[in-house]
Amino acid sequence: MLFLPAAALCCLCSVLVAMAAELIQDQLSLTRRVGGSVSFSCGGTDQCYNSYVFWYQKKERETFTRILRFDKSNGGVEKGYNHPQKDDFTAVKKQNDCELKIDKVKRSHKASYYCSCWKSAPHRWYYFIFGSGTKLYVTDEQVVKPVVSVYPAAPRAHLEGKSSLLCLASAMFPPRVQFSWKRQKEDGPLEELPPAEGEQLELTESGRSAAVLLIHQPENSTYKYNCYVKHEGGTVEAPTQQEVPAPAASCPPEREPAHPAALQQAPLGLLDPLQPQCRVKLLCLLYTVLIVKSLVYCCGLSLLMSLRNKGPSTNCTHAD
């Protein structure tokens, strides 16, 4: 029992390492009616160590449950994992990828579905990698694309030569979305935002999601930025671009007031991206301290138990 915290921490670390390299699940969500059919795709399986691909089901407030194992080499399906709905699922190979299929959807199939496989690493050890997951909604409700808007995020975001933008997606169904950004310099071509020049924080409330982009813009460079929201109904582009002027070399730009529409529509707490970032850093620090304390506690108890077990054996030797 004393080693359970350490074992849990090891499992957590393993999961974090596994999520660093992901399989490709491009479908954020799928909406089906009862009795319809559905297929979940899984790409990037060429990086798997062997030909086996595993599929998992994750329902709300439940743990991951393995559904089946698919062998890409011969198309074989192994269902010996005692999943209560195992007969409802099958898997097929699609070129270099694979798909999980449900021929007749039931309401009980509402869940998120993840593919995974073993990946090799240096020093002859292996770990699981997962896809990002696809959520299945079982309903008669129609898919509705999000309404997308982009605004300056906060008046105090222009600190140390940085700027921030807020992208808001609302009024969509299903609610799952994915944000991305593009920029354009004067009359130049539209380009993807380099990862080194932007940090994104995503927040979700009931009925809407938002992404705050903190921009590390080079000096003497003025760009127009636009937000794109990926959704089951298709990718939606914000109707207007936001221009971010070049930061001054000697001092930060003058603070600008947030757009009035952003103040009205944005959820409480989203207008200041620095506060959530500080919270994330504090949480990371707190979890790090708790992990270190748990490890020290377990090591200390192990040492005490070892010394305690040594005591009786030493006394018996002297008695002889």
Side-chain angles (χ1 to χ4, degrees), residues 6-54:
L9 292 173
C10 291
C11 292
L12 175 61
C13 293
S14 301
V15 170
L16 293 176
V17 170
M19 292 304 291
E22 293 185 345
L23 296 174
I24 301 170
Q25 289 186 260
D26 288 329
Q27 304 157 306
L28 296 177
S29 63
L30 292 171
T31 304
R32 295 291 186 272
R33 296 182 177 181
V34 173
S37 62
V38 66
S39 296
F40 307 92
S41 64
C42 178
T45 56
D46 54 333
Q47 62 184 311
C48 299
Y49 167 70
N50 50 31
S51 61
Y52 295 141
V53 177
F54 301 88

Side-chain angles (χ1 to χ4, degrees), residues 26-28 176-179 228-232 234-236:
D26 288 329
Q27 304 157 306
L28 296 177
R176 195 169 186 185
V177 295
Q178 186 179 69
F179 294 91
Y228 294 81
V229 178
K230 183 179 178 181
H231 183 259
E232 182 180 339
T235 300
V236 180

Side-chain angles (χ1 to χ4, degrees), residues 73-138:
S73 63
N74 57 21
V77 177
E78 170 60 45
K79 297 184 180 180
Y81 301 106
N82 296 322
H83 191 282
Q85 299 171 319
K86 61 181 180 180
D87 295 332
D88 299 339
F89 298 91
T90 186
V92 295
K93 183 178 180 181
K94 293 289 184 179
Q95 296 180 350
N96 294 327
D97 302 330
C98 70
E99 291 184 352
L100 178 71
K101 297 183 67 178
I102 306 176
D103 290 329
K104 290 186 178 181
V105 173
K106 304 174 184 176
R107 294 198 182 276
S108 58
H109 290 144
K110 178 183 176 182
S112 294
Y113 294 86
Y114 296 82
C115 60
S116 71
C117 70
W118 287 104
K119 183 178 176 66
S120 62
H123 310 298
R124 296 183 180 180
W125 63 279
Y126 309 91
Y127 59 93
F128 260 127
I129 57 174
F130 286 80
S132 55
T134 300
K135 187 164 185 177
L136 174 64
Y137 293 88
V138 183

Side-chain angles (χ1 to χ4, degrees), residues 151-166 212-217 244 247 252-258 270-275 277:
Y151 313 104
R156 72 172 188 175
H158 297 278
L159 298 175
E160 301 176 359
K162 299 177 184 178
S163 304
S164 61
L165 295 174
L166 169 68
V212 178
L213 178 69
L214 186 63
I215 304 167
H216 309 279
Q217 187 165 289
V244 177
E254 201 175 307
R255 295 180 180 178
E256 298 178 3
L270 289 183
L271 299 179
D272 188 353
L274 300 179
Q275 185 178 357
Q277 285 186 352

Side-chain angles (χ1 to χ4, degrees), residues 266-285:
L268 184 62
L270 289 183
L271 299 179
D272 188 353
L274 300 179
Q275 185 178 357
Q277 285 186 352
C278 291
R279 290 177 182 174
V280 171
K281 290 179 181 179
L282 288 173
L283 285 175
C284 290
L285 178 61

